[in-house]
Every structure is written in structure tokens, then in C-alpha cells.
Amino acid sequence: MDTQWPRWEVFKQDTPAKPHQAVGSVHAADPFHALLTARNVFARRPQAVSMWVAPASAIFSVTQEELAEGQEPKPQAPDPRPSTFYVFRKTSHKRSMTFVDYVGELEAASPQQALELARQRFTDAEALAWWVVPASSVTKSENSPETVESWFAPAKDKTYKQQSYYGLVGAPGSKFKRPKGDDDE
């Protein structure tokens, strides 16, 4: 029996001019819990203006290799009414934290159909992997100025320092050792 809460993928937008990017995942009981946990984990120091979360189980993903070998996941029965899907694409191995970037949304009857449409429409860069997510599965932070300020502004004041900034604690002759003074007595 699995005792973990469901896994949610987290998408963070650094500035209004940049796309949402997958930055990792969190375990949470529901979408709002996932959004709060994502904020605490992924927006403590770096800049952010928006966050989305989606259950990992709702994401249809396929790699370039799987497409080349015809190993797409088993097709789902199409819905007679088209729905909106968000499309994410990985185009590089350079960034270690970011897996996929948001490239747009499509109307389709199934994730597979959305993938086919995405492969035809988003041709400006080679895709190493695709993620297709039903828009109905995505929970977003509010886009109001008040929410952006209250959720993401505190992170702007926190300066991130590399571990090397602090030096070696207790090392003989360390330049970070302070002389004994009145405060130490």
C-alpha cells in the first residue's frame, strides 16, 4: 500500500516575459496544498511571478527516442468534446533543474492528438521531450498584483550565498574566527 501523498509537478515563471518551466515536484494532499508547498520549496530565494501545479499522473509525456521507436504511451479514448491542453517541450540538456518549458496551448480530443498538433505547430526548435497536460488538471497561483506581491516578493530580499562564502568553521587560523570579546563572556 502506498502511503505517500500524490506527486505534483511544479511549473514556475520567473518573469512575465519568460515561460513557465518545470522546476521539480512536491507531494501534497490536494492542489492547493501542492501550490503552497511548491511556493515554499521553489520560490524561497529565486525570483518568481507565477506558479502552476499539476498531478504527475495527469501528464502525458513522451521522449524523442520513444517517438522515433514508435513507443508512445497507450492511447486514451478521445473525448467527443475537445478540451484545452498545455504543451511543454524540452529542447536542451544544458539546464539541470529545468526539464520542460511551456510553449503554448491547444484544443484537442485527447493528449495524443494534442501531441500530434504540438509537433506540427511548435517547430521552432527540436524537441527532446514533450509534456501534454490537460488545462483542467492545472492549478495556478492567482495573477493579481496583491498575490504576486504577497507570494513572491519576500524572496527578493533573501540573498543566496554559496557555501564557500561562509568558510571553514573551526579551522585553525581561519579568517572567519573572531577575537574573543565582551559578547563571549
Side-chain angles (χ1 to χ4, degrees):
M1 177 172 94
D2 189 8
T3 58
Q4 288 189 355
W5 284 333
R7 186 168 57 92
W8 299 78
E9 289 298 329
V10 179
F11 304 92
K12 181 174 75 92
Q13 184 180 28
D14 292 335
T15 68
K18 291 186 176 181
H20 280 81
Q21 299 176 315
V23 292
S25 61
V26 296
H27 288 269
D30 60 53
F32 301 105
H33 180 208
L35 204 53
L36 288 170
T37 303
R39 177 199 171 259
N40 292 336
V41 172
F42 296 106
R44 290 182 335 167
R45 292 187 188 103
Q47 185 175 0
V49 295
S50 174
M51 285 199 148
W52 298 350
V53 293
S57 60
I59 298 172
F60 177 82
S61 64
V62 64
T63 65
Q64 182 182 45
E65 292 82 12
E66 290 170 334
L67 288 171
E69 296 172 7
Q71 296 179 359
E72 289 184 51
K74 191 175 179 180
Q76 297 175 351
D79 189 330
R81 300 170 316 239
S83 55
T84 303
F85 290 89
Y86 294 145
V87 179
F88 298 83
R89 175 181 64 187
K90 179 178 182 177
T91 59
S92 169
H93 291 294
K94 289 181 185 175
R95 297 202 49 200
S96 61
M97 278 190 61
T98 302
F99 182 68
V100 293
D101 295 338
Y102 174 75
V103 291
E105 62 183 64
L106 299 165
E107 295 291 319
S110 69
Q112 291 83 358
Q113 184 185 34
L115 172 64
E116 289 309 312
L117 293 170
R119 292 178 67 195
Q120 294 167 17
R121 183 174 299 166
F122 306 115
T123 59
D124 57 314
E126 181 183 22
L128 302 174
W130 293 96
W131 282 10
V132 177
V133 186
S136 60
S137 297
V138 175
T139 302
K140 303 176 181 183
S141 61
E142 288 184 36
N143 200 18
S144 70
E146 297 83 22
T147 300
V148 171
E149 179 68 21
S150 69
W151 268 51
F152 304 116
K156 292 178 186 175
D157 297 333
K158 293 182 181 179
T159 306
Y160 178 76
K161 295 181 175 109
Q162 294 290 339
Q163 181 181 2
S164 60
Y165 170 84
Y166 298 101
L168 299 173
V169 176
S174 170
K175 67 179 183 180
F176 296 100
K177 221 177 201 182
R178 56 188 177 96
K180 194 169 193 171
D182 295 336
D183 298 272
D184 296 329
E185 294 177 11

